[in-house]
Amino acid sequence: MAGSGKRTYVSDPTQIYRDSFKIVRRETQLDHLPESLHKTAIRLVHACGMPEIVKDLEASPDVAQRAAAALAAGAPILTDVEMVAHGVIRRHLPKENKVLCTLSDPRVPELAERICNTRSAAAVELWKDHLEGAVVAIGNAPTALFHLLDLLEEGWPKPAVILGFPVGFVGASESKQALIEQEMGLPFLTLKGRKGGSALAAAAVNGLAAGLREEEDG
């Protein structure tokens, strides 16, 4: 416990991690999820502090296995924003997988004007050469998820999995529902409704890549 002033609190990082995961396990209902997603769901709750989100998780049956296989094969991780990319724990990636965000590419503004869409959607246009077998993690922009689904329906290379966590009041819920309802057979993990965000998208990658390694070794 820290005790240099009036406040006392847990300050040991290992204890913080372990106690946090114990609390998450105690307060989170996982019965409706396949066991292969339990550790990822726990990591998602740990990232946002809201056990209630688990009831809104939706996933294809094989998403955990497909993500693990893709990462073990060295697949890249494609993200819509740098905050997702920075949240991925690199030391837990099995093959030093490349994490790619194209939002800051200088070609994006012109592309956005050309396709009459947001920069986030335009950045997806630069994923084509990296998409085959990739792990896609979208944690901010509904337009990125919508546009990706449109491109995939047009015949673009298929990723191994899509982790869809756009957040917000305009298009977020609808884009995730489109992911759930897509008929391309793409493995996915998503959180229905308005909630989402970069921390959750990164947590999904970390959970699928490494489970709960912090819970075990701090």
Side-chain angles (χ1 to χ4, degrees):
M1 296 283 186
S4 57
K6 294 180 179 180
R7 299 175 181 85
T8 59
Y9 52 89
V10 179
S11 58
D12 178 72
T14 300
Q15 184 180 350
I16 290 170
Y17 272 123
R18 290 177 177 167
D19 288 355
S20 294
F21 282 118
K22 286 178 183 177
I23 293 169
V24 172
R25 283 185 178 279
R26 184 171 68 241
E27 297 186 4
T28 304
Q29 297 296 321
L30 299 169
D31 296 347
H32 67 294
L33 293 174
E35 188 173 352
S36 61
L37 283 177
H38 283 192
K39 290 184 177 181
T40 300
I42 288 169
R43 192 177 278 279
L44 288 167
V45 172
H46 182 258
C48 68
M50 295 184 289
E52 63 270 21
I53 69 166
V54 172
K55 65 179 172 48
D56 291 322
L57 286 177
E58 187 88 14
S60 55
D62 59 344
V63 65
Q65 295 84 351
R66 293 287 295 273
L71 292 170
I77 299 162
L78 308 181
T79 74
D80 62 325
V81 289
E82 292 288 350
M83 286 181 68
V84 177
H86 288 304
V88 174
I89 303 173
R90 302 303 204 275
R91 70 181 184 276
H92 290 174
L93 297 177
K95 293 290 184 179
E96 298 184 351
N97 307 66
K98 183 177 182 180
V99 182
L100 178 66
C101 178
T102 55
L103 186 59
S104 298
D105 188 288
R107 295 169 289 179
V108 165
E110 182 181 348
L111 273 172
E113 291 186 10
R114 187 186 311 165
I115 66 173
C116 299
N117 209 325
T118 66
R119 293 188 180 190
S120 295
V124 173
E125 295 268 335
L126 302 177
W127 290 2
K128 189 172 186 178
D129 292 339
H130 309 280
L131 260 178
E132 186 71 42
V135 172
V136 172
I138 294 177
N140 182 63
T143 55
L145 182 52
F146 273 130
H147 193 54
L148 174 62
L149 292 173
D150 286 343
L151 293 171
L152 294 174
E153 288 177 351
E154 292 173 9
W156 271 39
K158 300 297 190 291
V161 298
I162 298 177
L163 311 176
F165 291 86
V167 61
F169 297 92
V170 179
S173 179
E174 293 84 355
S175 67
K176 289 180 279 189
Q177 192 61 37
L179 176 61
I180 294 168
E181 295 176 356
Q182 50 86 20
E183 297 180 350
M184 293 175 281
L186 295 168
F188 69 89
L189 173 63
T190 192
L191 179 65
K192 295 184 291 184
R194 296 171 173 176
K195 294 176 182 176
S198 299
L200 287 176
V205 174
N206 296 333
L208 292 167
L212 296 175
R213 196 167 297 177
E214 269 97 347
E215 185 183 23
E216 299 162 0
D217 62 20

